[in-house]
């Protein structure tokens, strides 16, 4: 059974599962609002866009017209490059705030706009169903100038949000801020789709002169005369992406020894033009890109990189997100399961990826936390569209990746987080191809997609992205029912995981109903003492505890503990989890000495087995500190909570529900030690983070605010829940 087992949270003292719950509708995909400035290449200046960039700069310099300015043009025309140039030229000018929101995916776009709302000062509680309204009310009254850039706005339905873009009620709309500017980039240049308040700016193909300059910039001075470059630029439709690919091709050819060049290989602008024209006389830019891509692949084949074309189609089978090639393109995996790559080894794979990057066909990305700290490559969306023929290859490689040691670690374990940060967008993309009515994948392949997506959803849940995790679990459940049926064990497992995230969201009654169905179903199939049945019953006990039905909770947890102890022994992780939940019950019943003893014993075991920086260790240490506070052992409580806070900061950062709860407990201990000023400062940080993350109306935020008020009045506070 693919499911989490209990003991991670800690009841009255550790309700991190409930902390984000009432933040209702937090659609927080992992996003950044920072412009991708590193994608601007200072070695290759932006050509032919001075007038457009100048117009945008003037918009930013004068009083705003309050309209949405739309850069529209075909894929590969350089819209993003224009936006990057605008940001670069504004970077040293004044105090303007700049937000860059990617609109390729609905979830991340909505999360990005909500992040903008929080950055302009709105509490997370105000950023709910009417988030667009309150955002634009706040932006309209901003005294500080700002620039909102929305890139990759290809599906305009994404921009509708709760209203309608064309009616001025969507996520983008007219505004009244004198210093505010909105710029969007899209393929769609039809005015009625954007509404009457939009101003359209066409990003057209480059002139022959500017196209020639782009070719020379990339190819160097040995590829022929400017006149020949101009003619080739016209033939390539003036499309910057095609021009940069052609120039990179010629630069690569000129880097080869003459003796290694095949006869007839294009080596300058004129011969490249002739070769391109011989294959097709059409000036369709998309077809030109395809031809330029094919010519680059032929060059690599002639250079001995015979796997280049097939490798590119493999990369194109994945989503638009960066592809973690050390996970998905292992040489042994590729050679074993992908046709045409049977003789591919690691050295050849690495050299081929480097040559694809040298020709501009893929973009290697630096190792960064944004994609799990793993090396990745990314295809331009247009090249991906051209090269993508099917998704079954991606399904096969995801299936292989799930068997890797670093991926087999449960998503709840921090050791797996780098891998799942990189794999999650690809797993969720494949799930879209496995839904009902999709016939391109077999039942087995659809099951693989569901397996990968369920693990990805568990990762999202671990990161606190509960609404998104719920959505993905529900999508997985639909596939499970369609492929396997409602009574299949994997379907029941998905229901178990869905109940878990409902618990996290505070949907306790709905979660209880689902928990009971799962427990009874597993009891019928496996019997009362089977591992999976016990896991389901354990989670039901935890839920009942959080519903404050302590007698019922204790009965279930003691039943689980007794069987776990008999079958696994005292040191078994599942036995320890049940023991931990019973300690929560002891604490809530007021038996502090017994609870303290249990937490001390559990802490010694978890530190020895898991280390300090494990979520379960930090939870147990937090709860132990809470008991010590309740018993009046303030210095011991202070020392213990400091260790718990340090661990949670390392695990999650400060702006995370669990870290804030531990900081709240520390402030409470400090106040009890008559260190009032330190306590107030800590609570001010907690309240600020709570308002930003959870919103003013959230249960925990209200509690933090009340605690700060009591501290200010020299009143006593209650210990925080972890």
């Amino acid at each position: 059974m693919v499911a989490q087992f209990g003991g991670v949270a800690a009841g009255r003292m550790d309700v991190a599962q409930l902390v984000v719950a009432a933040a209702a509708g937090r659609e927080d995909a992992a996003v950044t609002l920072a412009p991708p400035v590193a994608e601007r290449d200072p070695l290759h200046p932006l050509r032919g866009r001075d007038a457009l960039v100048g117009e945008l700069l003037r918009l930013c310099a004068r009083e705003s017209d309050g309209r949405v300015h739309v850069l529209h043009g075909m894929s590969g025309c350089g819209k993003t490059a224009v936006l990057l140039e605008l940001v670069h030229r504004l970077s040293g000018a004044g105090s303007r705030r700049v937000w860059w929101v990617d609109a390729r995916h609905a979830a991340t776009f909505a999360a990005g706009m909500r992040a903008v709302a929080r950055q302009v000062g709105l509490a997370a509680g105000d950023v709910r169903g009417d988030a667009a309204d309150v955002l634009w009310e706040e932006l309209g009254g901003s005294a500080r100038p700002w620039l909102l850039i929305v890139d990759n706005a290809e599906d305009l339905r994404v921009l509708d949000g709760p209203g309608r873009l064309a009616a001025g009620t969507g996520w983008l709309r007219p505004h009244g801020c004198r210093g505010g500017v909105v710029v969007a980039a899209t393929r769609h240049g039809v005015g009625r789709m954007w509404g009457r308040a939009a101003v359209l700016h066409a990003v057209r193909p480059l002139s022959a002169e500017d196209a020639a300059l782009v070719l020379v910039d990339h190819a160097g001075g040995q590829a022929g005369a400017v006149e020949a470059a101009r003619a080739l630029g016209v033939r390539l439709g003036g499309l910057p992406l095609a021009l940069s690919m052609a120039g990179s091709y010629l630069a690569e050819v000129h880097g080869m020894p003459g003796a290694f060049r095949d006869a007839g290989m294009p080596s300058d602008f004129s011969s490249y033009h002739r070769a391109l024209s011989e294959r097709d006389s059409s000036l369709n830019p998309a077809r030109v890109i395809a031809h330029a891509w094919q010519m680059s692949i032929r060059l690599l084949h002639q250079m001995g990189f015979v796997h280049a074309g097939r490798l590119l189609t493999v990369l194109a089978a994945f989503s638009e997100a960066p592809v973690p090639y050390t996970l998905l393109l292992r040489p042994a995996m590729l050679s074993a399961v992908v046709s045409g790559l049977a003789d591919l080894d690691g050295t050849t794979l690495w050299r081929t990826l480097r040559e694809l990057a040298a020709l501009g066909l893929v973009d290697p990305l630096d190792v960064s936390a944004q994609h799990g700290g793993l090396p990745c490559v990314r295809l331009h969306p247009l090249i991906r569209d051209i090269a993508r023929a099917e998704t079954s290859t991606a399904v096969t490689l995801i299936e292989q990746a799930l068997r890797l040691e670093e991926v087999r670690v449960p998503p709840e374990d921090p050791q797996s987080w780098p891998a799942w940060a990189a794999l999650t967008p690809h797993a969720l993309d494949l799930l879209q191809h496995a839904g009902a009515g999709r016939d391109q994948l077999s039942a087995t392949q659809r099951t693989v997609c569901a397996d990968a997506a369920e693990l990805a959803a568990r990762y999202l849940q671990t990161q606190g992205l509960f609404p998104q995790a719920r959505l993905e679990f529900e999508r997985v459940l639909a596939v499970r029912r369609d492929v396997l049926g409602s009574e299949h064990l994997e379907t029941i497992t998905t229901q178990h995981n869905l109940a878990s995230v409902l618990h996290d969201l505070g949907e306790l009654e709905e979660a209880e109903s689902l928990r009971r169905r799962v427990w009874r179903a597993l009891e019928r199939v496996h019997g009362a003492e089977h591992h999976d049945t016990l896991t389901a019953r354990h989670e039901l006990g935890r839920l009942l505890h959080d519903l404050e039905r302590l007698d019922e909770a204790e009965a279930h947890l003691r039943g689980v503990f007794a069987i776990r102890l008999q079958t696994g022994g005292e040191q078994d992780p599942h036995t320890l989890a049940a023991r931990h939940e019973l300690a929560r019950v002891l604490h809530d019943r007021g038996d502090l000495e017994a609870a303290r003893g249990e937490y001390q014993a559990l802490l010694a075991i978890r530190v020895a087995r898991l280390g300090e920086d494990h979520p379960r260790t930090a939870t147990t240490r937090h709860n132990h500190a809470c008991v010590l506070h309740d018993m009046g052992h303030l210095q011991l409580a202070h020392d213990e909570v400091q260790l718990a806070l340090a661990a949670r900061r390392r695990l999650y950062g400060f702006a995370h529900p669990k870290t804030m709860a531990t900081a709240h407990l520390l402030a409470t201990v400090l106040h009890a030690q008559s260190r009032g000023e330190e306590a107030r400062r800590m609570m001010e940080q907690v309240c600020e983070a709570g308002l930003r993350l959870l919103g003013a109306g959230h249960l925990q935020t209200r509690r933090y605010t009340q605690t700060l008020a009591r501290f200010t009045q020299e009143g006593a506070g209650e210990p925080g829940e972890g």
Side-chain angles (χ1 to χ4, degrees):
M1 183 173 183
V2 184
Q4 306 176 44
F5 55 79
V8 178
R12 187 177 72 84
M13 294 168 291
D14 198 333
V15 294
Q17 287 191 315
L18 303 178
V19 168
V20 180
R26 235 188 103 207
E27 293 176 306
D28 286 8
V31 294
T32 176
L33 300 178
V37 293
E39 293 183 8
R40 177 182 176 272
D41 186 355
L43 298 179
H44 296 120
L46 184 65
R47 301 292 189 181
R49 305 301 188 200
D50 288 346
L52 179 55
V53 173
E55 184 175 1
L56 295 174
L57 287 169
R58 287 190 293 275
L59 284 172
C60 294
R62 64 180 184 239
E63 182 173 334
S64 174
D65 59 6
R67 304 173 75 180
V68 177
H69 291 264
V70 180
L71 306 188
H72 65 91
M74 65 186 70
S75 293
C77 72
K79 301 182 292 292
T80 299
V82 171
L83 296 174
L84 288 171
E85 188 67 20
L86 172 64
V87 170
H88 172 71
R89 297 195 192 183
L90 288 172
S91 59
S95 60
R96 181 181 300 275
R97 302 185 72 172
V98 178
W99 300 294
W100 186 295
V101 184
D102 192 295
R104 275 175 290 193
H105 304 294
T108 51
F109 174 72
M113 295 301 289
R114 285 180 167 83
V116 172
R118 290 193 293 272
Q119 289 195 12
V120 298
L122 288 169
D126 297 328
V127 186
R128 301 202 178 187
D130 59 347
D133 293 339
V134 294
L135 167 62
W136 286 103
E137 181 178 352
E138 191 74 14
L139 286 174
S142 174
R144 182 177 175 184
W146 49 264
L147 170 63
L148 172 61
I149 291 173
V150 176
D151 198 15
N152 298 306
E154 306 307 347
D155 183 354
L156 298 190
R157 294 171 299 179
V158 170
L159 306 189
D160 284 336
R164 216 161 48 86
L165 174 67
T169 59
W171 274 117
L172 298 187
R173 57 180 68 175
H175 62 87
C177 180
R178 298 174 62 183
V181 177
V182 182
V183 184
T186 180
R187 290 196 302 261
H188 304 290
V190 180
R192 60 179 171 78
M193 300 174 71
W194 289 91
R196 295 180 179 179
V199 181
L200 302 184
H201 304 265
V203 184
R204 304 188 187 283
L206 297 176
S207 68
E209 289 71 27
D210 289 319
L213 290 175
V214 174
L215 285 166
V216 172
D217 288 341
H218 286 82
Q222 304 178 40
V226 174
E227 292 77 15
R230 188 181 296 112
L232 177 58
V234 172
R235 176 62 184 85
L236 291 171
L239 196 65
L241 179 59
L243 296 166
S244 63
M245 288 174 61
S248 298
Y249 171 99
L250 294 173
E252 187 72 17
V253 170
H254 276 280
M256 296 172 59
F260 289 4
R261 298 180 194 168
D262 290 348
M265 177 182 290
S267 59
D268 58 23
F269 299 131
S270 296
S271 57
Y272 192 101
H273 192 170
R274 287 193 300 271
L276 190 62
S277 298
E278 288 168 3
R279 288 174 174 81
D280 189 11
S281 60
S282 171
L283 293 179
N284 182 301
R287 299 183 71 179
V288 168
I289 285 286
H291 295 150
W293 161 56
Q294 291 163 2
M295 290 183 66
S296 295
I297 293 299
R298 289 192 192 97
L299 171 63
L300 291 176
H301 285 188
Q302 291 166 355
M303 294 168 61
F305 297 99
V306 297
H307 304 97
R310 184 69 179 106
L311 188 57
L312 201 64
T313 61
V314 169
L315 288 168
F318 293 102
S319 79
E320 291 183 4
V323 178
Y325 52 84
T326 57
L327 295 179
L328 293 173
L329 302 183
R330 295 280 178 98
M333 291 163 44
L334 289 170
S335 61
V337 302
V338 179
S339 61
L341 298 178
D343 57 343
L344 184 67
D345 58 24
T347 301
T348 303
L349 173 60
W350 177 242
R351 292 182 61 205
T352 302
L353 284 173
R354 292 179 61 184
E355 292 301 323
L356 287 169
L359 286 177
L361 296 172
V362 302
D363 293 323
L365 300 178
D366 293 335
V367 173
S368 76
Q370 187 174 355
H371 38 82
L374 299 174
C376 294
V377 293
R378 181 172 55 198
L379 290 178
H380 186 282
L382 186 57
I383 295 178
R384 176 177 173 270
D385 290 344
I386 294 167
R388 192 174 203 185
E390 43 77 31
T391 57
S392 60
T393 297
V395 176
T396 301
L397 291 174
I398 280 278
E399 182 180 19
Q400 296 293 313
L402 295 181
R403 300 172 184 171
L404 296 175
E405 183 176 351
E406 59 266 47
V407 181
R408 289 172 58 196
V409 178
E412 295 74 32
D413 191 317
Q415 293 182 24
S416 75
W417 293 353
W420 279 107
L423 289 174
T424 290
H426 301 289
L428 299 182
D429 177 71
L430 288 178
L431 185 63
Q432 297 181 12
H433 298 276
R438 302 296 186 97
D439 56 3
Q440 66 266 44
L441 298 178
S442 68
T444 300
Q445 290 173 319
R446 293 175 69 194
T447 297
V448 170
C449 293
D451 291 344
E454 185 155 14
L455 290 164
R458 287 170 56 188
Y459 168 74
L460 294 174
Q461 182 181 5
T462 301
Q463 301 306 302
L465 304 177
F466 303 146
Q468 189 179 355
R470 175 184 183 170
L471 174 64
E472 302 305 337
F473 280 133
E474 288 172 342
R475 291 171 61 206
V476 171
L477 183 58
V479 174
R480 298 282 197 211
R481 285 172 170 159
D482 188 49
V483 175
L484 304 174
S486 298
E487 300 303 316
H488 194 279
L489 285 176
E490 292 300 327
T491 306
I492 297 171
T493 295
T494 304
Q495 291 176 310
H496 174 96
N497 289 327
L498 176 58
S500 176
V501 81
L502 290 172
H503 189 168
D504 287 341
L505 286 164
E507 307 278 353
L508 301 188
E509 289 75 16
E510 186 178 354
E512 181 189 0
S513 175
L514 194 52
R515 285 273 186 231
R516 289 190 182 278
R517 289 205 304 271
V518 169
W519 173 43
R520 293 302 185 192
L522 291 172
E523 193 173 46
R524 286 195 305 272
V525 174
H526 292 309
E529 298 188 5
H530 188 273
H531 167 77
D532 292 348
T533 308
L534 292 173
T535 297
R537 189 180 181 191
H538 175 105
E539 293 300 325
L540 175 60
R542 293 183 62 247
L543 179 62
L544 291 168
H545 175 277
D546 291 343
L547 285 165
E548 300 182 354
R549 288 150 61 181
L550 296 184
D551 290 342
E552 291 179 77
E554 184 172 8
H556 281 288
L557 292 168
R558 289 206 178 280
V560 171
F561 177 73
I563 299 171
R564 293 294 196 192
L565 185 63
Q566 180 181 1
T567 57
E570 292 184 353
Q571 302 292 310
D572 181 77
H574 304 92
T575 306
L576 296 174
R579 186 177 176 184
H580 185 274
E581 298 310 305
L582 286 168
R584 297 170 65 200
V585 174
L586 288 171
H587 190 177
D588 282 0
R589 289 193 186 283
D591 194 346
L592 302 184
E593 193 63 53
R596 177 187 182 183
E598 286 297 281
Y599 283 133
Q600 285 179 329
L602 285 163
L603 190 58
I605 296 170
R606 285 181 165 172
V607 169
R609 288 194 163 195
L610 305 175
E612 284 287 354
D613 287 347
H614 191 280
R616 294 184 185 180
T617 306
T619 292
T620 306
R621 194 175 290 284
H622 173 106
N623 292 343
H624 183 219
C626 194
V627 170
L628 291 171
H629 170 274
D630 288 355
M631 297 178 74
H633 302 315
L634 298 183
Q635 188 57 48
L636 291 175
H638 176 271
D639 296 343
E640 194 76 334
V641 75
Q642 286 277 26
L643 292 173
L645 181 60
R648 283 185 161 172
R649 277 183 178 270
R650 290 189 294 269
L651 280 166
Y652 308 114
F654 189 82
H656 187 283
K658 289 193 174 187
T659 312
M660 290 188 296
T662 303
H664 180 210
L665 174 57
L666 175 59
T668 302
V669 173
L670 288 169
H671 188 268
Q673 291 179 308
S674 299
R675 297 161 67 177
E677 186 59 32
E678 294 176 73
R680 281 191 293 275
R681 286 200 302 269
M682 176 61 70
M683 279 313 304
E684 286 170 356
Q685 293 181 48
V686 173
C687 286
E688 181 183 351
L691 285 167
R692 188 171 64 251
L693 184 66
L694 305 174
H698 192 276
L699 172 66
Q700 289 299 98
T701 306
R702 291 201 305 270
R703 184 177 188 183
Y704 297 153
T705 304
Q706 292 165 4
T707 300
L708 178 58
R710 288 197 300 271
F711 287 0
T712 302
Q713 299 166 8
E714 297 299 318
E718 292 290 332
E721 301 184 1

